[in-house]
Amino acid sequence: MQKLTNKEEEIMHIIWKLKKAFVKEVMAEITEDQPHYNTLSTIVRNLEEKGFVAHNAFGNTHQYYPIVPIEEYRKKFMNTAIDNYFNSSYKNMVSFFAKEDKISAAELREILAMIENQKE
């Protein structure tokens, strides 16, 4: 699975959210730095070439839909981030978020409970 550019990832999140969308519907979801219609259309076609979306044709118009589930992309993205930024250590990752006050002790206890319940 190829890594997406930031803009491609932004567009994929919209397509995942909408489940099926024409380029004009994707465009309507972009609130900041809205690209030109043709630029957006090119990005969506690139996503299709990379194997992330497919389309149904309605005359000259295409309705796009995701073929890579968000969970699959999230898993790949997170594994790569953990490998690259935390030396493949989930402990280092959680520690980082704890130091940055991005996760509370209560949330950590909740995570620990989930882990312990999976072992049973």
Side-chain angles (χ1 to χ4, degrees), residues 3-15:
K3 173 76 175 106
L4 299 178
T5 66
N6 290 341
K7 199 56 154 174
E8 288 171 337
E9 199 170 289
E10 176 187 347
I11 302 310
M12 271 310 300
H13 280 282
I14 293 169
I15 295 171

Side-chain angles (χ1 to χ4, degrees), residues 18-79:
L18 297 176
K19 297 187 179 32
K20 290 184 179 181
F22 295 97
V23 172
K24 66 180 180 175
E25 294 170 323
V26 173
M27 179 76 83
E29 293 287 318
I30 301 172
T31 55
E32 294 180 19
D33 298 325
Q34 198 173 61
H36 187 275
Y37 181 91
N38 291 340
T39 302
L40 179 58
S41 183
T42 299
I43 293 169
V44 174
R45 284 195 311 276
N46 289 343
L47 288 168
E48 187 168 28
E49 286 176 23
K50 289 181 175 184
F52 281 84
V53 300
H55 73 270
N56 293 316
F58 296 95
N60 291 335
T61 332
H62 294 155
Q63 184 182 47
Y64 294 91
Y65 57 91
I67 55 176
V68 171
I70 190 169
E71 296 80 11
E72 185 179 328
Y73 186 74
R74 179 186 301 134
K75 183 177 180 179
K76 171 74 172 155
F77 174 79
M78 289 304 298
N79 286 338

Side-chain angles (χ1 to χ4, degrees), residues 56-104:
N56 293 316
F58 296 95
N60 291 335
T61 332
H62 294 155
Q63 184 182 47
Y64 294 91
Y65 57 91
I67 55 176
V68 171
I70 190 169
E71 296 80 11
E72 185 179 328
Y73 186 74
R74 179 186 301 134
K75 183 177 180 179
K76 171 74 172 155
F77 174 79
M78 289 304 298
N79 286 338
T80 301
I82 291 165
D83 290 346
N84 291 341
Y85 297 104
F86 301 103
N87 298 322
S88 302
S89 169
Y90 288 86
K91 178 184 162 196
N92 289 347
M93 180 196 67
V94 173
S95 174
F96 167 81
F97 287 115
K99 287 176 187 172
E100 294 290 315
D101 289 327
K102 301 292 183 188
I103 191 166
S104 69

